[in-house]
Amino acid sequence: MHGPFEDRTVSRVADTLGVRERDLAACARDVQAAIADYPGVTVDGLVYEWRQAFADDPLAERTPTAWVLRVPERVWRDVTNRAGVRADMEPALRALHGTETPDGVEEDEDDDADRVTLVLSRVSEE
């Protein structure tokens, strides 16, 4: 498992978009690590802060193991910058995160086109 994503999902997205599976898996892990390294806050705490800070609640779905969020583009850019995601891997990473978007979420609001799916593990992977 690579962050909150199953191996077969990472493999399918990598094959579809023509990127190396190990590179995409590394990007997914790097994003999770970047979120976990936000100063002074846990992953759950950061999700809570985002839910309070944004006019539109970014929570799309919560499972026992993952948060599925629809965050503003600026948050996606901040997270991928902190994670050191290469520009050539960003579209594949965005597509990987998009595989977890609940059906119909993008159509709920007109301004949702400006938001990006960000999936974060709720449990530590030790």
Side-chain angles (χ1 to χ4, degrees):
M1 182 175 274
H2 306 291
F5 305 101
E6 297 292 330
D7 292 340
R8 68 180 176 269
T9 304
V10 174
S11 179
R12 179 175 42 82
V13 171
D15 287 347
T16 300
L17 296 177
V19 299
R20 291 191 325 193
E21 182 178 343
R22 71 175 176 220
D23 291 344
L24 183 55
C27 287
R29 285 190 303 271
D30 291 347
V31 164
Q32 187 69 39
I35 294 291
D37 287 342
Y38 265 68
V41 67
T42 63
V43 172
D44 290 353
L46 187 58
V47 169
Y48 175 80
E49 286 183 15
W50 285 342
R51 293 188 72 198
Q52 300 305 307
F54 302 139
D56 295 319
D57 186 351
L59 183 64
E61 184 176 24
R62 174 182 31 227
T63 72
T65 59
W67 296 103
V68 180
L69 307 163
R70 295 285 294 159
V71 297
E73 179 73 32
R74 70 182 184 278
V75 172
W76 173 262
R77 283 192 311 270
D78 178 58
V79 168
T80 57
N81 285 339
R82 286 175 186 260
V85 175
R86 297 186 333 240
D88 64 322
M89 290 302 299
E90 195 275 335
L93 182 63
R94 188 181 289 241
L96 177 63
H97 281 260
T99 63
E100 301 299 317
T101 304
D103 291 340
V105 165
E106 296 91 346
E107 297 150 12
D108 284 349
E109 299 175 28
D110 293 336
D111 65 340
D112 199 59
D114 296 331
R115 298 196 288 166
V116 180
T117 301
L118 176 63
V119 184
L120 303 172
S121 292
R122 293 184 68 192
V123 295
S124 64
E125 298 179 27
E126 298 178 27

